Structure formats: C-alpha cells, structure tokens
Amino acid sequence: MIQRITEDMEYSDILDKAAQCQDDCEQLAYVAAFTVSAFGSTAIRTSKPFNPLLGETFELDRSEDLGWRLITEQVSHHPPMLAQHCENAQGLWTTYQVHT
C-alpha cells in the first residue's frame, strides 16, 4: 500500500510545469490536473493492497531522472493511515499528503 501511493507521482512533470507558470489560474489548472491524474492508474484495480506494518517506510529517489524524491510511512494501523512527503530536487515544489 505504501508503495502504491507513490504512483500518485507518476505525472510529476505536471507539477514542474505548474511551478514555471506566471499566471495563477494556469498554475491552478496544472495543479488540479496533477491531483486528478492519480485516479488514472486506479480505475481497473479491484483488489485491496496489503496493509504495511506500523512504522514501515518506503523511500524512492528519482532525482536523477524525474527530479524528485519521496518518503512514505505507515503512521497508524487502526485506522490505516499513511503520510507521504515528496520534494523536487530543484526546490520548485513540495508535496505532502495523508491517506486514510
């Protein structure tokens, strides 16, 4: 499950474009597009992923090719809750999210 949440960053290039925008409305449109892009890989999933152990972490460093790195941790077991922090290597953007 903590690895699966990383798939939300599949379209991180949209955030790169949003960080370059001068127009606030255009930037908001890119951020909205990135937000809904996470649903693109979940449409055909019907199985429930395994719950990670409390305190289990997943780190992914894609600084070389995609320009970001992230860490995700299981912060609660009942209810299952994940916390994720991802940052762009150039400092253009940072994301964090909590999933329950």
Side-chain angles (χ1 to χ4, degrees):
M1 188 168 173
I2 58 177
Q3 187 174 352
R4 189 180 278 184
I5 194 176
T6 303
E7 294 175 6
D8 289 358
M9 300 307 297
E10 183 176 356
Y11 298 104
S12 63
D13 58 313
I14 298 173
L15 290 178
D16 295 337
K17 291 177 185 174
Q20 305 297 327
C21 289
Q22 299 300 317
D23 179 21
D24 292 341
C25 290
E26 183 181 6
Q27 185 177 48
L28 182 60
Y30 276 117
V31 171
F34 171 77
T35 302
V36 298
S37 72
F39 296 104
S41 63
T42 61
I44 58 172
R45 287 207 175 127
T46 59
S47 62
K48 180 182 179 287
F50 292 110
N51 284 339
L53 298 172
L54 183 61
E56 186 175 344
T57 61
F58 178 77
E59 286 186 65
L60 184 60
D61 188 346
R62 299 293 303 264
S63 300
E64 296 294 320
D65 57 345
L66 297 177
W68 53 263
R69 64 177 187 237
L70 69 77
I71 185 166
T72 306
E73 181 178 356
Q74 179 81 10
V75 294
S76 174
H77 190 67
H78 292 292
M81 189 179 301
L82 304 168
Q84 181 184 73
H85 178 85
C86 182
E87 58 188 22
N88 177 268
Q90 293 82 27
L92 297 175
W93 51 264
T94 301
T95 67
Y96 50 90
Q97 54 185 329
V98 176
H99 285 263
T100 57

